[in-house]
Amino acid sequence: MLNFLNKSKCILPKIRYFTSTSSLRNTAENLSKENETQLTKVTDKTAREAPIILTQSFDTYEPAQVTGCRQVWIENIDDVQERKLGIIELHPDVFATQPRVDVIHENIEWQRKYRFVSFAHSKTRAEVRGGGRKPWPQKGTGRARHGSIRSPLFRGGGRAHGPRSPTTHFYMLPFFKRVMGLTATLSVKLAQDDLHIIKDVEIPSGDHQFLKDLIIERNWGPSVLIVDKEDIFPENICEATDKLGYVNLMPAYSLNTYSMLKHDTLVLTINAVKHIEERLLYQLHRADSLVKNAPFKLSQV
């Protein structure tokens, strides 16, 4: 089945304007030698590689939903032309949850604010230059009593209750809202067909044009986030993405809601998928959930 799908990508573009069986046969026989050589290479390569079939096991964590596993094609990135290497089943509790837009929004706002420090600063009456003497006597002038022309009541005076720097906007989102934000974002990416699974991150060349042509051929969109389990990536893909500002690499332990939504396409390796499923399923079924629901304290960091 996989060999047929891979070979059809080379044949179908040449015969898309024909419908009858005889026309299809004649067109296939009249293919150029160049296309026949390319088809032979693809056939030989796919024949040597056994299809990858990765099924889902529910021995450790049974799904909380009745929905079945999501099945996704495993793609290659060693060539610009797309080939199906196999099928992987994704756990429904991670990749098929309810798309909670409100939880995703809370995660985005939290990631934007918890590292933000405001440096807006205004001077009080004590910090403004001047205003040391009393502007006029306390009594006898008929005017209101004042002790300094730098009072907040005067133009050019200090500001009462103004912003003082540095002001942090740090706060912690509840633990399980952060976990739910990851599962909801992964489910949305998969439902929108913006999630792709690849075998590994090995590419044959460090030329950025190869990766650029691959993204255009696969229709991966204007920005791509490639995630692997390890934080040390191969040299070729690091060199290729270094000149492409819209393609970023990230280890699985750094995956977050903001980065997934910032990029149009999310590309995961098989090892990254297994690692993400293992960690998120553990967090969803951990025994000390009541402790994790406790209010955040700085002393626990």
Side-chain angles (χ1 to χ4, degrees), residues 77 80 203 205 207-216 220 226 237 240-241 244 246-247 249:
I77 59 169
V80 174
I203 58 176
S205 172
D207 185 11
H208 71 281
Q209 189 63 39
F210 171 82
L211 195 57
K212 187 175 181 180
D213 295 339
L214 185 143
I215 292 173
I216 295 175
W220 280 359
I226 302 175
I237 195 167
T241 56
L244 299 177
Y246 52 88
V247 182
L249 305 176

Side-chain angles (χ1 to χ4, degrees), residues 248-267:
N248 293 312
L249 305 176
M250 178 178 290
Y253 62 76
S254 298
L255 191 64
N256 59 86
T257 303
Y258 185 85
S259 296
M260 285 191 284
L261 291 183
K262 184 179 179 180
H263 296 81
D264 188 72
T265 303
L266 177 63
V267 180

Side-chain angles (χ1 to χ4, degrees), residues 45 49 74-85 196-205 210-211 214-215 218 220 224 226-227 233-234 236-237 241 249 267-269:
K45 192 170 185 178
E49 298 178 359
I74 301 175
E75 305 175 14
N76 70 305
I77 59 169
D78 58 351
D79 191 10
V80 174
Q81 298 297 326
E82 181 182 356
R83 289 186 290 108
K84 309 297 185 183
L85 303 180
H196 299 270
I197 310 296
I198 59 177
K199 182 179 178 181
D200 49 39
V201 288
E202 293 286 351
I203 58 176
S205 172
F210 171 82
L211 195 57
L214 185 143
I215 292 173
R218 308 287 178 88
W220 280 359
V224 181
I226 302 175
V227 181
F233 285 79
N236 284 344
I237 195 167
T241 56
L249 305 176
V267 180
L268 304 175
T269 63

